[in-house]
Amino acid sequence: MNIKNAQFMRGIVGTNDIINDVKAQIAFVGRSNVGKSSLINSLVGNKNLARSSSTPGRTQQINFFLIDQKVYFVDLPGYGYAKTSEKQRDKIRKMIIWYLTYSEIQHKKVVLITDAKVGLREFDIEMVNLLKDQEIDFFVVLNKVDKLKQGEVIKIVKDTKNKINDERVGVITYSSKNPINREKIIGELFN
Ligand code: GTP
Ligand code: MG
């Protein structure tokens, strides 16, 4: 399976008509700078679709990309970046929680992304618990594995599975520099 067409639709910071669209929504969630926007670009094969940057806090809105006219990829701002102001962090946290819990989206799935070098941190565990509570279908991507040795990859996968403690939740390693698991992720998204 391949993605043929992807286009930016709009960025929102609160209630908007697009939330009520009946198309399925797949949201990319995680701490700042873990590579959420880059993963979207890598999956759709367009480096410039979602804006990515080495400066954490790049994505400030909830950005909607329409994929092959049938589903939305939703690029969320990153949570927990220490260098943004307390006020801004709080605003982003509320925006993410609003999107995941209060907005009445028909069908949604979440990709929880983390840096493979770091694994799941406190905020990620909170997110895992929120997703479980809300019964939202999700899986985890351990991103930027190009920075790790093979042995470290095996260790972090095991560690992450232990932390999630639910065998239904998949854990997939990824690197946009060497996207060997691209098909696997796309398969998970559209299954
Ligand atoms: P926010 O929007 O700030 O929350 O960040 P984000 O999670 O969207 O991260 P973004 O995609 O902007 O990428 C952050 C940095 O990580 C950029 O400098 C990317 O080039 C880099 N990056 C993303 N994916 C990979 C990867 O697979 N490997 C490596 N080595 N770097 C990556
Ligand atoms: Mg981003």
Side-chain angles (χ1 to χ4, degrees), residues 134-190:
Q134 298 290 321
E135 297 180 350
I136 296 171
D137 196 6
F138 75 103
F139 64 94
V140 175
V141 170
L142 291 172
N143 201 25
K144 309 192 189 182
V145 284
D146 54 276
K147 291 182 173 178
L148 272 67
K149 297 192 187 92
Q150 189 58 31
E152 294 172 316
V153 176
I154 293 166
K155 191 177 172 293
I156 195 72
V157 169
K158 199 172 157 208
D159 183 58
T160 305
K161 283 183 175 165
N162 283 341
K163 279 187 177 159
I164 296 168
N165 193 28
D166 184 340
E167 64 282 3
R168 290 168 302 180
V169 178
V171 175
I172 304 176
T173 58
Y174 198 73
S175 165
S176 43
K177 298 202 167 161
N178 183 17
I180 39 173
N181 279 338
R182 191 171 166 274
E183 289 295 315
K184 199 168 171 181
I185 292 180
I186 291 178
E188 278 283 333
L189 294 179
F190 296 99

Short mmCIF file of all heavy atoms in Angstrom, two decimals, residues 134-190:
data_model
loop_
_atom_site.label_atom_id
_atom_site.label_comp_id
_atom_site.label_asym_id
_atom_site.label_seq_id
_atom_site.Cartn_x
_atom_site.Cartn_y
_atom_site.Cartn_z
N GLN A 134 -9.32 6.33 27.41
CA GLN A 134 -10.25 6.77 26.37
C GLN A 134 -10.55 5.66 25.36
O GLN A 134 -11.31 5.89 24.42
CB GLN A 134 -9.68 7.97 25.62
CG GLN A 134 -9.44 9.21 26.47
CD GLN A 134 -10.74 9.86 26.90
OE1 GLN A 134 -11.69 9.93 26.14
NE2 GLN A 134 -10.79 10.32 28.14
N GLU A 135 -9.90 4.52 25.54
CA GLU A 135 -10.04 3.40 24.60
C GLU A 135 -9.73 3.81 23.16
O GLU A 135 -10.44 3.45 22.22
CB GLU A 135 -11.43 2.77 24.72
CG GLU A 135 -11.65 2.18 26.11
CD GLU A 135 -13.01 1.53 26.29
OE1 GLU A 135 -13.87 1.68 25.41
OE2 GLU A 135 -13.18 0.85 27.32
N ILE A 136 -8.69 4.60 23.02
CA ILE A 136 -8.24 5.01 21.69
C ILE A 136 -7.19 3.99 21.21
O ILE A 136 -6.27 3.64 21.95
CB ILE A 136 -7.63 6.43 21.72
CG1 ILE A 136 -8.69 7.45 22.12
CG2 ILE A 136 -7.01 6.79 20.37
CD1 ILE A 136 -8.16 8.85 22.39
N ASP A 137 -7.38 3.53 19.98
CA ASP A 137 -6.48 2.59 19.37
C ASP A 137 -5.13 3.29 19.11
O ASP A 137 -5.09 4.34 18.49
CB ASP A 137 -7.13 2.18 18.04
CG ASP A 137 -6.51 0.94 17.46
OD1 ASP A 137 -5.66 0.33 18.13
OD2 ASP A 137 -6.89 0.59 16.33
N PHE A 138 -4.03 2.74 19.61
CA PHE A 138 -2.74 3.39 19.37
C PHE A 138 -1.60 2.38 19.28
O PHE A 138 -1.74 1.23 19.69
CB PHE A 138 -2.43 4.43 20.46
CG PHE A 138 -2.01 3.85 21.80
CD1 PHE A 138 -0.66 3.84 22.18
CD2 PHE A 138 -2.94 3.33 22.67
CE1 PHE A 138 -0.27 3.33 23.41
CE2 PHE A 138 -2.57 2.80 23.91
CZ PHE A 138 -1.23 2.80 24.28
N PHE A 139 -0.48 2.84 18.70
CA PHE A 139 0.74 2.06 18.74
C PHE A 139 1.91 3.04 18.91
O PHE A 139 1.75 4.25 18.76
CB PHE A 139 0.90 1.15 17.52
CG PHE A 139 1.02 1.84 16.20
CD1 PHE A 139 2.28 2.13 15.66
CD2 PHE A 139 -0.11 2.19 15.47
CE1 PHE A 139 2.40 2.77 14.42
CE2 PHE A 139 0.01 2.82 14.24
CZ PHE A 139 1.26 3.11 13.71
N VAL A 140 3.07 2.49 19.24
CA VAL A 140 4.22 3.33 19.57
C VAL A 140 5.27 3.23 18.48
O VAL A 140 5.58 2.14 17.99
CB VAL A 140 4.83 2.91 20.93
CG1 VAL A 140 6.10 3.70 21.24
CG2 VAL A 140 3.80 3.11 22.06
N VAL A 141 5.82 4.38 18.11
CA VAL A 141 6.97 4.39 17.19
C VAL A 141 8.20 4.87 17.96
O VAL A 141 8.20 5.96 18.54
CB VAL A 141 6.71 5.31 15.97
CG1 VAL A 141 7.99 5.51 15.16
CG2 VAL A 141 5.62 4.71 15.08
N LEU A 142 9.23 4.02 17.99
CA LEU A 142 10.52 4.40 18.56
C LEU A 142 11.32 4.99 17.40
O LEU A 142 11.81 4.26 16.54
CB LEU A 142 11.22 3.18 19.15
CG LEU A 142 10.59 2.59 20.41
CD1 LEU A 142 11.26 1.27 20.77
CD2 LEU A 142 10.69 3.56 21.57
N ASN A 143 11.42 6.30 17.40
CA ASN A 143 11.96 7.00 16.23
C ASN A 143 13.46 7.27 16.34
O ASN A 143 14.04 7.18 17.42
CB ASN A 143 11.18 8.31 16.06
CG ASN A 143 11.28 8.86 14.66
OD1 ASN A 143 11.51 8.12 13.69
ND2 ASN A 143 11.13 10.16 14.52
N LYS A 144 14.07 7.63 15.23
CA LYS A 144 15.49 7.98 15.13
C LYS A 144 16.40 6.82 15.53
O LYS A 144 17.43 7.02 16.15
CB LYS A 144 15.82 9.21 15.99
CG LYS A 144 14.90 10.43 15.79
CD LYS A 144 15.47 11.67 16.44
CE LYS A 144 14.47 12.82 16.44
NZ LYS A 144 15.00 14.06 17.02
N VAL A 145 16.03 5.58 15.17
CA VAL A 145 16.88 4.43 15.52
C VAL A 145 18.23 4.44 14.80
O VAL A 145 19.12 3.69 15.15
CB VAL A 145 16.19 3.05 15.32
CG1 VAL A 145 15.19 2.76 16.41
CG2 VAL A 145 15.57 2.92 13.96
N ASP A 146 18.35 5.32 13.79
CA ASP A 146 19.66 5.44 13.12
C ASP A 146 20.75 5.88 14.10
O ASP A 146 21.93 5.71 13.84
CB ASP A 146 19.56 6.43 11.93
CG ASP A 146 19.01 7.78 12.34
OD1 ASP A 146 17.76 7.92 12.41
OD2 ASP A 146 19.79 8.69 12.60
N LYS A 147 20.35 6.44 15.24
CA LYS A 147 21.32 6.90 16.24
C LYS A 147 21.75 5.80 17.21
O LYS A 147 22.59 6.03 18.08
CB LYS A 147 20.72 8.05 17.05
CG LYS A 147 20.53 9.34 16.27
CD LYS A 147 19.98 10.38 17.22
CE LYS A 147 19.92 11.76 16.60
NZ LYS A 147 19.33 12.71 17.56
N LEU A 148 21.12 4.62 17.09
CA LEU A 148 21.37 3.54 18.04
C LEU A 148 22.11 2.35 17.42
O LEU A 148 22.00 2.11 16.21
CB LEU A 148 20.04 3.03 18.62
CG LEU A 148 19.48 3.73 19.85
CD1 LEU A 148 19.09 5.14 19.54
CD2 LEU A 148 18.29 2.95 20.40
N LYS A 149 22.80 1.61 18.28
CA LYS A 149 23.40 0.35 17.84
C LYS A 149 22.32 -0.73 17.93
O LYS A 149 21.36 -0.59 18.69
CB LYS A 149 24.56 -0.03 18.75
CG LYS A 149 25.71 0.96 18.72
CD LYS A 149 26.94 0.35 19.41
CE LYS A 149 28.04 1.36 19.54
NZ LYS A 149 28.02 2.12 20.82
N GLN A 150 22.51 -1.82 17.17
CA GLN A 150 21.52 -2.89 17.13
C GLN A 150 21.11 -3.39 18.52
O GLN A 150 19.92 -3.57 18.82
CB GLN A 150 22.05 -4.04 16.27
CG GLN A 150 21.04 -5.13 15.96
CD GLN A 150 19.80 -4.58 15.23
OE1 GLN A 150 19.88 -3.63 14.47
NE2 GLN A 150 18.65 -5.20 15.50
N GLY A 151 22.09 -3.58 19.37
CA GLY A 151 21.82 -4.08 20.73
C GLY A 151 20.97 -3.11 21.54
O GLY A 151 20.09 -3.52 22.30
N GLU A 152 21.22 -1.83 21.34
CA GLU A 152 20.45 -0.79 22.05
C GLU A 152 19.00 -0.78 21.56
O GLU A 152 18.08 -0.53 22.35
CB GLU A 152 21.08 0.58 21.82
CG GLU A 152 22.46 0.75 22.42
CD GLU A 152 23.12 2.06 22.01
OE1 GLU A 152 23.07 2.42 20.81
OE2 GLU A 152 23.68 2.73 22.89
N VAL A 153 18.82 -1.05 20.27
CA VAL A 153 17.47 -1.08 19.70
C VAL A 153 16.66 -2.21 20.35
O VAL A 153 15.54 -2.00 20.81
CB VAL A 153 17.51 -1.26 18.16
CG1 VAL A 153 16.10 -1.40 17.60
CG2 VAL A 153 18.22 -0.10 17.49
N ILE A 154 17.28 -3.39 20.44
CA ILE A 154 16.60 -4.55 21.05
C ILE A 154 16.20 -4.22 22.49
O ILE A 154 15.09 -4.48 22.93
CB ILE A 154 17.50 -5.80 20.97
CG1 ILE A 154 17.66 -6.23 19.50
CG2 ILE A 154 16.93 -6.97 21.79
CD1 ILE A 154 18.77 -7.22 19.22
N LYS A 155 17.11 -3.59 23.21
CA LYS A 155 16.88 -3.26 24.61
C LYS A 155 15.73 -2.26 24.79
O LYS A 155 14.86 -2.45 25.64
CB LYS A 155 18.17 -2.70 25.22
CG LYS A 155 18.13 -2.57 26.71
CD LYS A 155 19.46 -2.09 27.29
CE LYS A 155 19.32 -1.79 28.77
NZ LYS A 155 18.43 -0.63 29.02
N ILE A 156 15.71 -1.22 23.96
CA ILE A 156 14.69 -0.19 24.13
C ILE A 156 13.30 -0.71 23.71
O ILE A 156 12.28 -0.34 24.30
CB ILE A 156 15.06 1.15 23.40
CG1 ILE A 156 14.18 2.30 23.88
CG2 ILE A 156 15.01 1.04 21.90
CD1 ILE A 156 14.47 2.81 25.26
N VAL A 157 13.27 -1.61 22.73
CA VAL A 157 11.98 -2.20 22.33
C VAL A 157 11.41 -3.00 23.50
O VAL A 157 10.23 -2.86 23.87
CB VAL A 157 12.13 -3.11 21.08
CG1 VAL A 157 10.87 -3.92 20.82
CG2 VAL A 157 12.46 -2.26 19.84
N LYS A 158 12.27 -3.79 24.12
CA LYS A 158 11.85 -4.62 25.26
C LYS A 158 11.38 -3.74 26.43
O LYS A 158 10.32 -3.97 27.01
CB LYS A 158 13.05 -5.49 25.69
CG LYS A 158 12.65 -6.69 26.51
CD LYS A 158 13.84 -7.62 26.73
CE LYS A 158 13.58 -8.46 27.98
NZ LYS A 158 14.82 -8.85 28.64
N ASP A 159 12.17 -2.74 26.72
CA ASP A 159 11.88 -1.81 27.80
C ASP A 159 10.54 -1.09 27.58
O ASP A 159 9.72 -0.94 28.49
CB ASP A 159 13.04 -0.81 27.86
CG ASP A 159 12.90 0.17 29.00
OD1 ASP A 159 12.82 -0.30 30.14
OD2 ASP A 159 12.86 1.40 28.74
N THR A 160 10.31 -0.68 26.32
CA THR A 160 9.07 0.04 25.99
C THR A 160 7.86 -0.88 26.12
O THR A 160 6.83 -0.49 26.67
CB THR A 160 9.18 0.61 24.55
OG1 THR A 160 10.36 1.41 24.47
CG2 THR A 160 7.97 1.44 24.18
N LYS A 161 8.00 -2.11 25.66
CA LYS A 161 6.89 -3.07 25.78
C LYS A 161 6.55 -3.33 27.25
O LYS A 161 5.39 -3.40 27.62
CB LYS A 161 7.24 -4.39 25.07
CG LYS A 161 7.12 -4.27 23.56
CD LYS A 161 7.39 -5.60 22.86
CE LYS A 161 7.12 -5.47 21.37
NZ LYS A 161 7.69 -6.58 20.60
N ASN A 162 7.61 -3.42 28.07
CA ASN A 162 7.38 -3.62 29.50
C ASN A 162 6.62 -2.45 30.11
O ASN A 162 5.71 -2.64 30.91
CB ASN A 162 8.73 -3.76 30.25
CG ASN A 162 9.32 -5.14 30.06
OD1 ASN A 162 8.61 -6.08 29.68
ND2 ASN A 162 10.61 -5.27 30.28
N LYS A 163 7.01 -1.25 29.72
CA LYS A 163 6.36 -0.06 30.27
C LYS A 163 4.89 0.03 29.86
O LYS A 163 4.05 0.46 30.63
CB LYS A 163 7.10 1.21 29.84
CG LYS A 163 8.33 1.48 30.69
CD LYS A 163 8.95 2.82 30.38
CE LYS A 163 10.14 3.07 31.29
NZ LYS A 163 11.04 4.09 30.74
N ILE A 164 4.59 -0.35 28.64
CA ILE A 164 3.20 -0.26 28.16
C ILE A 164 2.35 -1.38 28.76
O ILE A 164 1.19 -1.17 29.10
CB ILE A 164 3.14 -0.30 26.63
CG1 ILE A 164 3.84 0.93 26.08
CG2 ILE A 164 1.71 -0.33 26.13
CD1 ILE A 164 4.10 0.87 24.61
N ASN A 165 2.97 -2.54 28.91
CA ASN A 165 2.31 -3.65 29.59
C ASN A 165 0.94 -4.00 29.00
O ASN A 165 -0.04 -4.16 29.72
CB ASN A 165 2.20 -3.28 31.09
CG ASN A 165 1.83 -4.47 31.93
OD1 ASN A 165 2.13 -5.61 31.57
ND2 ASN A 165 1.16 -4.23 33.04
N ASP A 166 0.87 -4.06 27.70
CA ASP A 166 -0.36 -4.45 27.01
C ASP A 166 0.05 -4.99 25.64
O ASP A 166 0.47 -4.23 24.76
CB ASP A 166 -1.28 -3.23 26.86
CG ASP A 166 -2.62 -3.59 26.23
OD1 ASP A 166 -2.72 -4.66 25.57
OD2 ASP A 166 -3.56 -2.80 26.38
N GLU A 167 -0.05 -6.30 25.48
CA GLU A 167 0.48 -6.92 24.25
C GLU A 167 -0.27 -6.52 22.98
O GLU A 167 0.21 -6.73 21.87
CB GLU A 167 0.61 -8.45 24.39
CG GLU A 167 -0.67 -9.23 24.57
CD GLU A 167 -1.21 -9.16 25.99
OE1 GLU A 167 -0.63 -8.45 26.85
OE2 GLU A 167 -2.23 -9.80 26.25
N ARG A 168 -1.44 -5.89 23.14
CA ARG A 168 -2.18 -5.43 21.94
C ARG A 168 -1.55 -4.18 21.32
O ARG A 168 -1.80 -3.85 20.17
CB ARG A 168 -3.64 -5.10 22.30
CG ARG A 168 -4.47 -6.33 22.63
CD ARG A 168 -5.77 -5.92 23.25
NE ARG A 168 -5.53 -5.14 24.48
CZ ARG A 168 -6.48 -4.64 25.26
NH1 ARG A 168 -7.75 -4.80 24.95
NH2 ARG A 168 -6.18 -3.96 26.34
N VAL A 169 -0.74 -3.48 22.13
CA VAL A 169 -0.13 -2.24 21.65
C VAL A 169 1.20 -2.54 20.95
O VAL A 169 2.14 -3.03 21.57
CB VAL A 169 0.09 -1.25 22.82
CG1 VAL A 169 0.76 0.03 22.32
CG2 VAL A 169 -1.24 -0.93 23.50
N GLY A 170 1.25 -2.23 19.66
CA GLY A 170 2.46 -2.49 18.89
C GLY A 170 3.57 -1.49 19.18
O GLY A 170 3.30 -0.35 19.54
N VAL A 171 4.82 -1.95 19.03
CA VAL A 171 5.98 -1.06 19.16
C VAL A 171 6.81 -1.25 17.89
O VAL A 171 7.28 -2.35 17.61
CB VAL A 171 6.82 -1.41 20.41
CG1 VAL A 171 8.08 -0.57 20.48
CG2 VAL A 171 5.99 -1.24 21.69
N ILE A 172 6.96 -0.17 17.13
CA ILE A 172 7.67 -0.25 15.85
C ILE A 172 8.84 0.73 15.85
O ILE A 172 8.69 1.88 16.25
CB ILE A 172 6.71 0.08 14.67
CG1 ILE A 172 5.48 -0.84 14.69
CG2 ILE A 172 7.44 -0.04 13.33
CD1 ILE A 172 4.44 -0.53 13.61
N THR A 173 9.99 0.25 15.41
CA THR A 173 11.16 1.14 15.33
C THR A 173 11.15 1.85 13.98
O THR A 173 10.65 1.32 12.98
CB THR A 173 12.48 0.35 15.49
OG1 THR A 173 12.53 -0.64 14.46
CG2 THR A 173 12.56 -0.31 16.84
N TYR A 174 11.72 3.07 13.96
CA TYR A 174 11.71 3.82 12.71
C TYR A 174 12.87 4.79 12.60
O TYR A 174 13.41 5.25 13.61
CB TYR A 174 10.40 4.61 12.55
CG TYR A 174 10.15 5.03 11.12
CD1 TYR A 174 9.76 4.11 10.18
CD2 TYR A 174 10.33 6.35 10.72
CE1 TYR A 174 9.55 4.48 8.86
CE2 TYR A 174 10.12 6.74 9.41
CZ TYR A 174 9.73 5.79 8.48
OH TYR A 174 9.53 6.16 7.17
N SER A 175 13.23 5.08 11.37
CA SER A 175 14.17 6.16 11.10
C SER A 175 13.83 6.73 9.73
O SER A 175 13.72 5.97 8.77
CB SER A 175 15.61 5.64 11.08
OG SER A 175 16.44 6.62 10.47
N SER A 176 13.65 8.02 9.67
CA SER A 176 13.37 8.60 8.35
C SER A 176 14.63 8.58 7.48
O SER A 176 14.55 8.77 6.27
CB SER A 176 12.78 10.01 8.47
OG SER A 176 13.46 10.76 9.42
N LYS A 177 15.79 8.31 8.09
CA LYS A 177 17.03 8.19 7.31
C LYS A 177 17.16 6.83 6.64
O LYS A 177 17.89 6.66 5.69
CB LYS A 177 18.24 8.44 8.21
CG LYS A 177 18.22 9.84 8.78
CD LYS A 177 19.57 10.32 9.21
CE LYS A 177 19.47 11.82 9.46
NZ LYS A 177 20.50 12.37 10.26
N ASN A 178 16.47 5.84 7.21
CA ASN A 178 16.51 4.49 6.68
C ASN A 178 15.15 3.83 6.96
O ASN A 178 15.02 3.04 7.90
CB ASN A 178 17.67 3.72 7.34
CG ASN A 178 17.80 2.31 6.79
OD1 ASN A 178 17.27 1.99 5.73
ND2 ASN A 178 18.48 1.46 7.53
N PRO A 179 14.14 4.21 6.17
CA PRO A 179 12.76 3.88 6.54
C PRO A 179 12.32 2.45 6.23
O PRO A 179 11.35 2.21 5.51
CB PRO A 179 11.95 4.90 5.74
CG PRO A 179 12.79 5.21 4.55
CD PRO A 179 14.22 5.01 4.94
N ILE A 180 13.05 1.48 6.80
CA ILE A 180 12.71 0.08 6.50
C ILE A 180 11.33 -0.34 7.01
O ILE A 180 10.73 -1.21 6.42
CB ILE A 180 13.77 -0.93 7.02
CG1 ILE A 180 14.30 -0.52 8.38
CG2 ILE A 180 14.89 -1.14 6.01
CD1 ILE A 180 15.21 -1.54 9.03
N ASN A 181 10.84 0.30 8.06
CA ASN A 181 9.53 -0.10 8.59
C ASN A 181 8.37 0.76 8.09
O ASN A 181 7.29 0.74 8.66
CB ASN A 181 9.54 -0.10 10.12
CG ASN A 181 10.16 -1.37 10.67
OD1 ASN A 181 10.20 -2.39 9.98
ND2 ASN A 181 10.66 -1.31 11.89
N ARG A 182 8.62 1.47 7.01
CA ARG A 182 7.61 2.37 6.48
C ARG A 182 6.30 1.62 6.13
O ARG A 182 5.22 2.03 6.52
CB ARG A 182 8.18 3.06 5.25
CG ARG A 182 7.35 4.20 4.74
CD ARG A 182 8.10 4.96 3.65
NE ARG A 182 7.16 5.83 2.97
CZ ARG A 182 6.40 5.44 1.97
NH1 ARG A 182 6.49 4.21 1.51
NH2 ARG A 182 5.56 6.28 1.42
N GLU A 183 6.45 0.52 5.42
CA GLU A 183 5.29 -0.28 5.01
C GLU A 183 4.53 -0.81 6.22
O GLU A 183 3.30 -0.87 6.23
CB GLU A 183 5.72 -1.46 4.14
CG GLU A 183 6.19 -1.07 2.75
CD GLU A 183 5.06 -0.48 1.91
OE1 GLU A 183 3.96 -1.03 1.93
OE2 GLU A 183 5.29 0.56 1.27
N LYS A 184 5.30 -1.21 7.22
CA LYS A 184 4.72 -1.77 8.44
C LYS A 184 3.85 -0.71 9.15
O LYS A 184 2.73 -1.00 9.59
CB LYS A 184 5.86 -2.22 9.37
CG LYS A 184 5.45 -3.20 10.43
CD LYS A 184 6.69 -3.79 11.08
CE LYS A 184 6.33 -4.61 12.28
NZ LYS A 184 7.54 -5.14 12.92
N ILE A 185 4.37 0.51 9.23
CA ILE A 185 3.61 1.58 9.87
C ILE A 185 2.37 1.92 9.05
O ILE A 185 1.26 2.02 9.59
CB ILE A 185 4.49 2.84 10.09
CG1 ILE A 185 5.55 2.52 11.15
CG2 ILE A 185 3.64 4.04 10.51
CD1 ILE A 185 6.49 3.65 11.48
N ILE A 186 2.53 2.04 7.75
CA ILE A 186 1.37 2.33 6.90
C ILE A 186 0.31 1.23 7.03
O ILE A 186 -0.87 1.49 7.13
CB ILE A 186 1.80 2.57 5.43
CG1 ILE A 186 2.60 3.89 5.36
CG2 ILE A 186 0.61 2.63 4.48
CD1 ILE A 186 3.14 4.26 3.99
N GLY A 187 0.78 -0.01 7.12
CA GLY A 187 -0.13 -1.14 7.33
C GLY A 187 -0.91 -1.00 8.64
O GLY A 187 -2.13 -1.18 8.67
N GLU A 188 -0.23 -0.63 9.70
CA GLU A 188 -0.88 -0.43 11.01
C GLU A 188 -1.91 0.69 10.94
O GLU A 188 -2.98 0.61 11.54
CB GLU A 188 0.16 -0.05 12.07
CG GLU A 188 0.91 -1.20 12.68
CD GLU A 188 0.09 -1.98 13.71
OE1 GLU A 188 -0.83 -1.40 14.33
OE2 GLU A 188 0.37 -3.18 13.87
N LEU A 189 -1.55 1.75 10.21
CA LEU A 189 -2.44 2.92 10.14
C LEU A 189 -3.74 2.62 9.42
O LEU A 189 -4.79 3.12 9.79
CB LEU A 189 -1.74 4.07 9.39
CG LEU A 189 -0.52 4.68 10.07
CD1 LEU A 189 0.05 5.77 9.19
CD2 LEU A 189 -0.89 5.23 11.42
N PHE A 190 -3.66 1.79 8.41
CA PHE A 190 -4.85 1.57 7.59
C PHE A 190 -5.52 0.22 7.82
O PHE A 190 -6.42 -0.13 7.10
CB PHE A 190 -4.52 1.77 6.10
CG PHE A 190 -4.11 3.18 5.79
CD1 PHE A 190 -2.78 3.54 5.67
CD2 PHE A 190 -5.08 4.17 5.65
CE1 PHE A 190 -2.40 4.85 5.40
CE2 PHE A 190 -4.71 5.47 5.39
CZ PHE A 190 -3.37 5.82 5.27
#
